[in-house]
Amino acid sequence: MKITLLAAAAAIFIFSMPANGDGRRSFNVMDFGAIGDGQTVNSQAFLKAWKALCEVEEDEDGNIPTLEIPNSTFLLNPIKFQGPCKSNSIHIQVSGKILASKTIKTKWWILFTNINGLILDGSGTINGRGSHWWKTDGQSGHKKPRALQFHRCDNLQLSGLTHLNSPKGHMGLNYCNGVSISNLTIIAPEDSPNTDGIDISYSTQVNISNSNIGTGDDCIAINGGCSYININNVTCGPGHGISVGSLGEKGGTDLVENVSVRNCTFIRTQNGVRIKTSPGGSGYARNISFEQIILQETKNPIIIDQNYCNGHKCKEKKILSVQTSEAVKVSDIKYIGVEGTSDSEEGIKLDCAKLGCINIMMEQINITSFEPGKEISAYCNNANGTSTFTTPHVPCLLG
Ligand SMILES: *[C@@H]1O[C@H](CO)[C@@H](O)[C@H](O)[C@H]1NC(C)=O
Ligand SMILES: *[C@@H]1O[C@H](CO)[C@@H](O)[C@H](O)[C@H]1NC(C)=O
Ligand SMILES: *[C@@H]1O[C@H](CO)[C@@H](O)[C@H](O)[C@H]1NC(C)=O
Ligand SMILES: *[C@@H]1O[C@H](CO)[C@@H](O)[C@H](O)[C@H]1NC(C)=O
Ligand SMILES: *[C@@H]1O[C@H](CO)[C@@H](O)[C@H](O)[C@H]1NC(C)=O
Ligand SMILES: *[C@@H]1O[C@H](CO)[C@@H](O)[C@H](O)[C@H]1NC(C)=O
Ligand SMILES: *[C@@H]1O[C@H](CO)[C@@H](O)[C@H](O)[C@H]1NC(C)=O
Ligand SMILES: *[C@@H]1O[C@H](CO)[C@@H](O)[C@H](O)[C@H]1NC(C)=O
Ligand SMILES: *[C@@H]1O[C@H](CO)[C@@H](O)[C@H](O)[C@H]1NC(C)=O
């Protein structure tokens, strides 16, 4: 009898606990008025939930504030999740679908800023519904928004979610140190313009692994101010490959170093592993390695392009580069174990500025034509270094 009473009391206690009833400091967007019908705009409800979440600390057992976005469809206007928060870590678990409204006038749809230890995960989907933006040409005054932006989010963890059809890039990391990204799926059509998968700038210690990215632009772009970026087991395609750059645009200074790209597969991409810098810029891209790369019908499998220009500014920049011979310095670049098929005749292209690409190292490269029997060649301009077991033969490298 006593035991039964105790159990009943315990049960009442457990079931009468507030929102954090499971001991995880848990909040659910539904409790803040969200309506998951795919039609109602939920920005206010999400912001209220965020405010509550951001103002609690983790408990003595280390349970961190958690926001549940359940398995329904939530329409969202542009929204800013602003930190710092009281807890050292904040968890947002997405089980449902988040849909972008069609009238976004900001640079980003969903902005996370100044949040330490943000964990964004779940099996849900973030859908930018970008198709109506892709048709606009940029001249018509429509600035396309990036779907997600993480600004000054240290110790960030992203995993599990599916990111679909962003109007522009799917996610940007800017001034984020200590980032782990895994198990993501990013999908947009091959012909959707500027839909980069992940754009990184001014960030360090960023790991990206076990993800599938197929878009209309770079799968991953590593921009100025980045170091210790590790990319492992990413499949890219369709898309423009994994790129360092472009660096030194508009005569700017960009620094990138200590980058490792390993065990990545490129399927029918426009580029495989690319370093692109613009004429007239300065800074460096150095100590970058690409290892265990598989290519399937890739247009430019290995490419360093120091004459990279975006659109109409190209001519002007080329003149500038001839006059100043300024360029981002490219050095200590390793390619180890790159195998597969090229969809263009030039399997390797090292097109460097006058001051040269220095210490390019190639080992165990085997790039053959996608079309059986066709020869593949390498192009070099102002590059030096070494090569062993490299097909096609790269004339500027000693080997
Ligand atoms: C979400 O709900 C849909 C249908 O309502 C179901 O098919 C799907 O499996 C659910 N997903 C999760 C993660 O529970
Ligand atoms: C990134 O990976 C390296 C090597 O696996 C590991 O030492 C480091 O802690 C990871 N960093 C983050 C932020 O996950
Ligand atoms: C990634 O997915 C695998 C397999 O589904 C799972 O075992 C692992 O825990 C996931 N990792 C993260 C960080 O979610
Ligand atoms: C590599 O990533 C894929 C998902 O793209 C995953 O299924 C696989 O388990 C990962 N491999 C390892 C060793 O984690
Ligand atoms: C390397 O990539 C292949 C092909 O995507 C994948 O199956 C394998 O699990 C990856 N291995 C590691 C250690 O990540
Ligand atoms: C890159 O690595 C080298 C060697 O470990 C180190 O000296 C340098 O400080 C690193 N660069 C950055 C920006 O952390
Ligand atoms: C090159 O970068 C790697 C990280 O990718 C780092 O471990 C290594 O120390 C760096 N080497 C030099 C010489 O900077
Ligand atoms: C290079 O790849 C081709 C096509 O897969 C293969 O036939 C050839 O044996 C490979 N060469 C080397 C040296 O591995
Ligand atoms: C490449 O050229 C630079 C500058 O001329 C030189 O310092 C370096 O030793 C050369 N590297 C190789 C591998 O020849």
Side-chain angles (χ1 to χ4, degrees):
M1 185 64 184
K2 249 186 190 156
I3 289 166
T4 325
L5 265 179
L6 212 63
I12 287 163
F13 176 69
I14 286 164
F15 289 114
S16 64
M17 270 166 74
N20 51 355
D22 57 2
R24 289 172 49 216
R25 312 237 135 183
S26 176
F27 299 84
N28 190 318
V29 285
M30 302 313 267
D31 297 333
F32 295 85
I35 297 170
D37 61 0
Q39 318 247 318
T40 311
V41 173
N42 287 288
S43 305
Q44 289 313 316
F46 274 56
L47 274 182
K48 271 192 218 155
W50 173 255
K51 196 158 178 281
L53 190 72
C54 195
E55 280 175 2
V56 295
E57 292 172 33
E58 55 187 83
D59 68 17
E60 46 296 345
D61 297 330
N63 295 307
I64 60 172
T66 296
L67 180 63
E68 308 275 355
I69 299 173
N71 187 7
S72 301
T73 303
F74 298 96
L75 185 62
L76 268 192
N77 275 337
I79 188 164
K80 178 169 158 186
F81 296 106
Q82 167 101 47
C85 297
K86 286 231 170 96
S87 176
N88 281 327
S89 182
I90 291 259
H91 184 184
I92 300 180
Q93 183 164 21
V94 184
S95 304
K97 295 192 177 76
I98 299 179
L99 291 187
S101 66
K102 292 199 169 173
T103 53
I104 302 176
K105 293 196 175 71
T106 47
K107 237 172 139 182
W108 302 296
W109 171 33
I110 303 177
L111 172 63
F112 295 92
T113 175
N114 279 283
I115 305 162
N116 188 57
L118 175 66
I119 302 168
L120 177 65
D121 65 8
S123 55
T125 298
I126 298 185
N127 188 342
R129 298 202 294 173
S131 60
H132 71 287
W133 294 93
W134 301 333
K135 290 174 227 133
T136 63
D137 54 10
Q139 313 285 305
S140 46
H142 294 269
K143 277 258 187 278
K144 297 173 194 173
R146 190 178 269 174
L148 266 61
Q149 180 74 10
F150 300 92
H151 178 73
R152 297 193 189 280
C153 290
D154 291 347
N155 306 309
L156 171 68
Q157 292 178 43
L158 307 176
S159 77
L161 297 181
T162 297
H163 299 264
L164 290 179
N165 297 337
S166 177
K168 204 173 162 213
H170 287 76
M171 62 175 75
L173 308 176
N174 189 28
Y175 295 99
C176 297
N177 299 330
V179 179
S180 167
I181 297 180
S182 64
N183 289 10
L184 290 195
T185 304
I186 304 179
I187 304 173
E190 184 167 15
D191 60 357
S192 58
N194 306 115
T195 51
D196 285 354
I198 305 173
D199 277 292
I200 316 169
S201 57
Y202 297 98
S203 294
T204 185
Q205 307 279 3
V206 177
N207 293 350
I208 302 175
S209 64
N210 307 348
S211 295
N212 265 306
I213 306 175
T215 70
D217 206 321
D218 293 336
C219 288
I220 301 173
I222 299 162
N223 295 294
C226 285
S227 62
Y228 292 106
I229 311 295
N230 291 301
I231 300 170
N232 182 34
N233 189 24
V234 168
T235 299
C236 168
H240 294 186
I242 294 180
S243 291
V244 172
S246 58
L247 305 179
E249 281 194 322
K250 297 179 186 150
T253 301
D254 283 321
L255 312 179
V256 173
E257 65 179 324
N258 303 349
V259 172
S260 158
V261 176
R262 182 190 283 269
N263 196 38
C264 292
T265 302
F266 295 86
I267 303 173
R268 285 185 289 280
T269 51
Q270 196 185 83
N271 307 285
V273 291
R274 171 163 68 160
I275 296 173
K276 50 177 171 171
T277 75
S278 295
S282 62
Y284 54 74
R286 65 190 187 198
N287 188 29
I288 296 168
S289 68
F290 301 100
E291 299 174 65
Q292 294 172 256
I293 304 296
I294 309 274
L295 309 160
Q296 294 177 18
E297 215 183 319
T298 303
K299 273 230 166 60
N300 298 291
I302 293 178
I303 176 165
I304 300 178
D305 179 2
Q306 292 214 274
N307 289 305
Y308 183 82
C309 306
N310 241 334
H312 62 283
K313 295 181 199 109
C314 197
K315 256 189 188 149
E316 184 189 309
K317 278 184 191 162
K318 263 191 182 143
I319 293 163
L320 190 68
S321 86
V322 171
Q323 284 171 347
T324 65
S325 73
E326 269 289 349
V328 175
K329 292 182 180 67
V330 172
S331 66
D332 302 296
I333 314 294
K334 284 187 200 149
Y335 302 88
I336 304 174
V338 180
E339 293 182 19
T341 56
S342 173
D343 189 31
S344 69
E345 199 190 304
E346 240 161 37
I348 298 175
K349 183 169 177 175
L350 307 177
D351 187 7
C352 299
K354 265 225 175 69
L355 63 84
C357 297
I358 290 164
N359 284 334
I360 309 297
M361 199 263 253
M362 293 198 183
E363 216 178 280
Q364 291 170 28
I365 312 295
N366 185 11
I367 301 171
T368 55
S369 176
F370 176 67
E371 284 178 56
K374 218 173 159 191
E375 286 290 310
I376 289 289
S377 64
Y379 171 85
C380 277
N381 187 22
N382 300 324
N384 79 1
T386 61
S387 71
T388 49
F389 301 110
T390 292
T391 308
H393 173 69
V394 189
C396 55
L397 304 181
L398 297 172

